Amino acid sequence: MDHLGLWIAGFLTLGIYSFLYRDNPWYKLSESIFIGVSAGYWVVTEFWQNFVGKFWDQKGDDPWLWIGAVLGLMMLMRLFPKIGWISRWPLAFVVGATSGFWMMNYLTTNCMAQVQATIIPLLGLGYEASAVMIFSNIVLVVGTFCGVAYFFFSKAHTGVFGATARVGVWTIMVTFGAMFALTIMNRMSLLIGRTSFIFGEWLGLIR
Amino acid sequence: MKTRVIEIGVLVVAAVGCVIAYLGKPNIFGWHSGFVFSPTVSLIIIVLIGVSLLWMLIRTLQNRLVGRRIVFLYVGIAISLPLFMSITQNIVVSENVRDVYTALDELDPGEKVLVSFDYDPPSAPELQPMAEAFLAECFKRKLKVIIIGLWPMGPIQANMAIDTVMERMGLDSTQLVYGVDYCNLGYQAGNEFVIQRMGTSFEAMFGNDVRGTPYREVPLVKNVKNFSNIDYSFNLSSGFVGTVEWVQVAVSRYGLRLGAGNTAVQAPTVYPYLRAGLLTGLLAGMNGAAEFEKLTDFKGKATIFMLSQTFSHVIVIAFIIIGNVAFFRGGRKTALKGGSE
């Protein structure tokens, strides 16, 4: 059985990578199997975890669960065009509850904590900072200020303000470059993982 | 017609090659025990690749552009060949990785570590080595590990990591006892709301562990009510739900001490939290995994893969240069169309 599993995995891996040559039936088969298996796995897991685990098994213990069940049922009304509007009610509930849940979280972690992180002694006053740390602090503060300035559209980007916004654009570009590089690193890691599987676990060619 | 015959021929040859290689594995007929290039051969290969790249740059300067399949071929070579090389790469441990190690260092034996496995097999090349090295370090320090997963495949990845760690550390189920030294509470659907609920009651979210044992009957967690009973936590994530949500809910609201291991593509979204002091350490991508392996002296796949990672980066940088040369040499229209085939 292990042998069969290895061969199926190897066959499908090569099938997916065959797209690099050109689109072909082998790729399409591999892609379809992947999508089908993923979707099937999700459906089964979510059914047993959510519907059975969280509602069906406990429906007698907690009457509040019935509210969730009814909202869930209302959400499925989208499948019937004539009464599809009913699905907007549970959707409104989800949007409202999620917004309320995240409002304070975002404010504390993505706003206040980030503002606090930029209020630092630039030249390392008050603590022993290395030259690298001082440089890093300056880049952080200047980059943040200029980046925010770029998104201030109530004033024309000319003169000193224009130059500040320009530095902001460059900072953003450098950020995108770093993100692009890390994305490449991630994709390469995935490829390395599959290549290692093909030459190592499957064909046993790596010592 | 001729192309189709060649394509079928290549497929047949490749299939036969795969069958021969597979049958020759040590656990089947044992015709071969794998291959490894000596340092000299490795060096010759590196020089040859470098020379060919230089040749391609010269061709580009002559307005003879490189096709995309050549780029794919080079990336494939850059990733495959280092797996057979016997040379090693120097890995420098960064401050962010050291912070995770220091956080573990500050814990006493018996203290509880919560590890959330929020990823699935596609992210395993980066995150599985992190998971193995982290768990090995926890077990080495006699820390008690509580595992959960907010992704369906997470707890399965955790079991695989534990099997690997136990095998490599030479531990059996009597030396590392399930339910006492570690436990796996399994997957729970609900994303960030699971984290929120765990802030008041773990048991409300994880009624049973993966083996079906009721929460209160698992010795390790029977006295664990919420995050206040956790001494350190570590999140392995590759997207939503993941480190961002753990920081925003568990760290921000409940003051949980959290370290993270992320895929490289996710790391930029997490760095601001690190800088703001909301995260205690970060392992970013395969590089982070390799650094942690070095720090914990648990050499695993990340260390082996780093050579391929470096080679592939060099190739990408080389082709970025070649592509820009093509662009500015005047073949802009052709370069934008992807070059010649």
Side-chain angles (χ1 to χ4, degrees), chain B:
Chain B
M1 185 64 187
K2 190 184 172 188
T3 313
R4 181 54 57 91
V5 171
I6 292 171
E7 286 170 356
I8 291 170
V10 168
L11 273 178
V12 170
V13 169
V16 170
C18 287
V19 171
I20 291 171
Y22 189 81
L23 292 176
K25 282 167 75 172
N27 60 341
I28 303 181
F29 288 116
W31 298 331
H32 65 78
S33 56
F35 302 95
V36 63
F37 300 145
S38 68
T40 313
V41 174
S42 305
L43 201 65
I44 291 169
I45 291 170
I46 293 167
V47 170
L48 285 175
I49 293 173
V51 169
S52 66
L53 285 170
L54 200 64
W55 176 65
M56 247 180 276
L57 180 65
I58 294 167
R59 273 171 55 98
T60 307
L61 284 167
Q62 295 166 347
N63 269 344
R64 294 163 70 193
L65 302 181
V66 178
R68 65 186 173 89
R69 284 174 189 158
I70 298 293
V71 180
F72 297 153
L73 181 68
Y74 265 79
V75 171
I77 288 171
I79 279 173
S80 310
L81 293 185
L83 295 172
F84 295 93
M85 291 181 181
S86 55
I87 55 176
T88 53
Q89 184 188 336
N90 184 32
I91 293 163
V92 181
V93 179
S94 63
E95 204 57 41
N96 300 338
V97 174
R98 198 175 293 280
D99 285 346
V100 175
Y101 184 82
T102 308
L104 290 180
D105 209 26
E106 289 168 356
L107 299 175
D108 295 322
E111 292 196 309
K112 294 182 179 70
V113 177
L114 175 72
V115 187
S116 181
F117 281 71
D118 303 336
Y119 66 95
D120 52 10
S123 305
E126 282 182 301
L127 298 181
Q128 200 70 3
M130 288 181 198
E132 290 167 5
F134 186 84
L135 290 174
E137 190 61 19
C138 287
F139 295 146
K140 204 162 71 182
R141 292 171 181 276
K142 308 282 182 206
L143 298 170
K144 307 294 181 184
V145 178
I146 302 164
I147 292 166
I148 63 163
L150 301 185
W151 285 40
M153 293 294 284
I156 298 169
Q157 296 295 137
N159 283 341
M160 288 163 65
I162 285 170
D163 288 346
T164 306
V165 169
M166 286 178 76
E167 189 185 333
R168 288 207 39 201
M169 291 178 77
L171 299 171
D172 58 36
S173 57
T174 57
Q175 293 161 310
L176 191 70
V177 183
Y178 180 83
V180 176
D181 298 312
Y182 74 98
C183 69
N184 188 341
L185 297 179
Y187 162 70
Q188 183 56 269
N191 301 328
E192 65 270 32
F193 297 102
V194 175
I195 307 172
Q196 167 73 18
R197 192 71 177 92
M198 286 173 73
T200 50
S201 170
F202 275 30
E203 192 182 1
M205 284 291 96
F206 299 94
N208 301 302
D209 70 356
V210 282
R211 300 182 179 189
T213 312
Y215 185 87
R216 283 169 192 264
E217 291 175 24
V218 179
L220 178 56
V221 292
K222 66 180 178 188
N223 294 324
V224 176
K225 190 166 184 274
N226 51 41
F227 290 133
S228 61
N229 304 113
I230 300 295
D231 300 292
Y232 184 64
S233 61
F234 190 69
N235 173 242
L236 290 148
S237 99
S238 62
F240 177 83
V241 52
T243 303
V244 173
E245 288 69 34
W246 275 96
V247 169
Q248 291 181 344
V249 182
V251 177
S252 168
R253 287 195 174 196
Y254 299 103
L256 183 72
R257 202 154 170 249
L258 179 76
N262 283 181
T263 53
V265 73
Q266 200 197 355
T269 60
V270 173
Y271 276 124
Y273 299 128
L274 194 69
R275 182 82 195 192
L278 296 167
L279 269 179
T280 312
L282 173 69
L283 315 185
M286 193 173 282
N287 195 28
E291 289 175 30
F292 197 71
E293 284 182 354
K294 182 183 181 183
L295 209 52
T296 56
D297 200 22
F298 187 86
K299 297 279 186 299
K301 283 191 169 176
T303 308
I304 298 165
F305 289 167
M306 271 313 289
L307 195 62
S308 293
Q309 184 80 260
T310 305
F311 269 56
S312 63
H313 284 204
V314 171
I315 292 291
V316 169
I317 291 167
F319 277 110
I320 286 174
I321 293 170
I322 291 170
N324 277 279
V325 167
F327 189 80
F328 289 108
R329 268 295 284 176
R332 298 183 183 199
K333 284 181 183 172
T334 321
L336 286 171
K337 283 175 185 170
S340 60
E341 292 298 314

Side-chain angles (χ1 to χ4, degrees), chain A residues 132-203:
Chain A
V132 175
M133 181 59 81
I134 292 170
F135 177 73
S136 172
N137 288 348
I138 293 171
V139 169
L140 180 78
V141 173
V142 173
T144 305
F145 180 77
C146 296
V148 173
Y150 173 72
F151 288 101
F152 188 77
F153 298 116
S154 299
K155 182 174 164 51
H157 288 187
T158 52
V160 176
F161 187 71
T164 308
R166 189 98 185 130
V167 174
V169 171
W170 280 99
T171 308
I172 293 165
M173 289 300 168
V174 169
T175 308
F176 287 156
M179 290 173 83
F180 172 67
L182 283 164
T183 305
I184 286 182
M185 190 168 157
N186 176 255
R187 302 297 180 248
M188 290 301 170
S189 299
L190 304 187
L191 183 56
I192 291 166
R194 294 325 293 164
T195 309
S196 168
F197 165 77
I198 290 170
F199 291 118
E201 292 165 67
W202 182 31
L203 300 178

